[in-house]
Amino acid sequence: MAARNPVPLHSQAFDHLQYIRRTMEGAASFTAVPGAGGVLMGATALAAGALAHRSGGAGPDRWLAVWLMEGLLALALGVFFAYRKARRIQVELFSRPARKFMLAFAPPLLAGAALTAALWKSGQTGLLAGCWLLLYGAGISAAGAFSVPVVPVMGTCFLALGSAALFSPPSWGDAWLAGGFGGLHIIFGILIAKRHGG
């Protein structure tokens, strides 16, 4: 029987280092959550709240358009500032913790899109503010398990606001949305910027 060739020591060491790296990356947190971006997202949501409240008299279609545009703008700001922070702190934006964060965050957002269409079609637009805040809070809470500790706390605050919004008069919707997407993003954005590097 022919003797097997021994595996070179440097090859074994490289395999062990790769395993350690994968293990550490899997246990790491997504730290590129943008604090400054959160503050800016909050500021645009406050402006959208005022604009949506004024445009509500022009019809529900215009009201929805304002908030959908705000959602797209906030998403773009979040991605841009996360990318910028990731480069500054020298981490990969699409690292394993970041992918876990996004995979936990995405399902509630998709559920929000489906519910928005269903509630809009059935004319139950008064429930939209509460549903948006609840589902965003659920996404942030779930994704926060893979991020810095303040993120799940922010998610819990969104869940509380969303619950209150569901049981308040529909005319308060813009105030709840501005308080959540505006106020909470600004407060927690400042906390993240101070405690977790911008």
Side-chain angles (χ1 to χ4, degrees), residues 1 14 17-18 23 26 28-29 48-49 59 62-63 89 93 96 106 124 140 146 153 160 168-169 173 176 178 183 185:
M1 184 181 208
F14 181 75
L17 286 173
Q18 288 290 90
T23 303
S29 295
R62 190 162 175 190
W63 177 87
I89 62 176
L93 184 59
R96 191 171 174 193
Q124 300 181 64
I140 292 290
F146 309 104
V153 176
S168 66
W176 287 118
H185 271 144

Side-chain angles (χ1 to χ4, degrees), residues 19-191:
Y19 172 77
I20 291 168
R21 180 175 174 239
R22 283 194 305 270
T23 303
M24 289 178 69
E25 188 182 56
S29 295
F30 176 59
T31 55
V33 177
V39 172
L40 189 54
M41 289 163 66
T44 62
L46 290 177
L51 181 61
H53 190 67
R54 280 203 310 268
S55 66
D61 289 346
R62 190 162 175 190
W63 177 87
L64 182 65
V66 169
W67 281 114
L68 290 180
M69 291 301 292
E70 164 56 22
L72 292 173
L73 175 61
L75 178 64
L77 288 170
V79 171
F80 172 75
F81 277 93
Y83 169 75
R84 202 175 93 166
K85 183 174 179 180
R87 283 190 61 185
R88 187 168 39 79
I89 62 176
Q90 297 181 339
V91 297
E92 289 183 40
L93 184 59
F94 296 105
S95 62
R96 191 171 174 193
R99 289 195 305 271
K100 287 181 179 178
F101 182 95
M102 289 179 230
L103 287 172
F105 187 56
L109 291 188
L110 294 173
L115 270 174
T116 297
L119 290 172
W120 188 258
K121 186 177 178 183
S122 65
Q124 300 181 64
T125 55
L127 297 173
L128 284 174
C131 286
W132 288 344
L133 290 164
L134 274 173
L135 288 165
Y136 187 76
I140 292 290
S141 295
F146 309 104
S147 188
V148 294
V150 72
V151 174
V153 176
M154 180 173 78
T156 302
C157 292
F158 270 97
L159 288 168
L161 277 189
S163 300
L166 282 177
F167 295 100
S168 66
S171 60
W172 297 8
D174 289 319
W176 287 118
L177 290 169
F181 294 118
L184 289 180
H185 271 144
I186 290 171
I187 292 167
F188 283 94
I190 291 170
L191 288 174

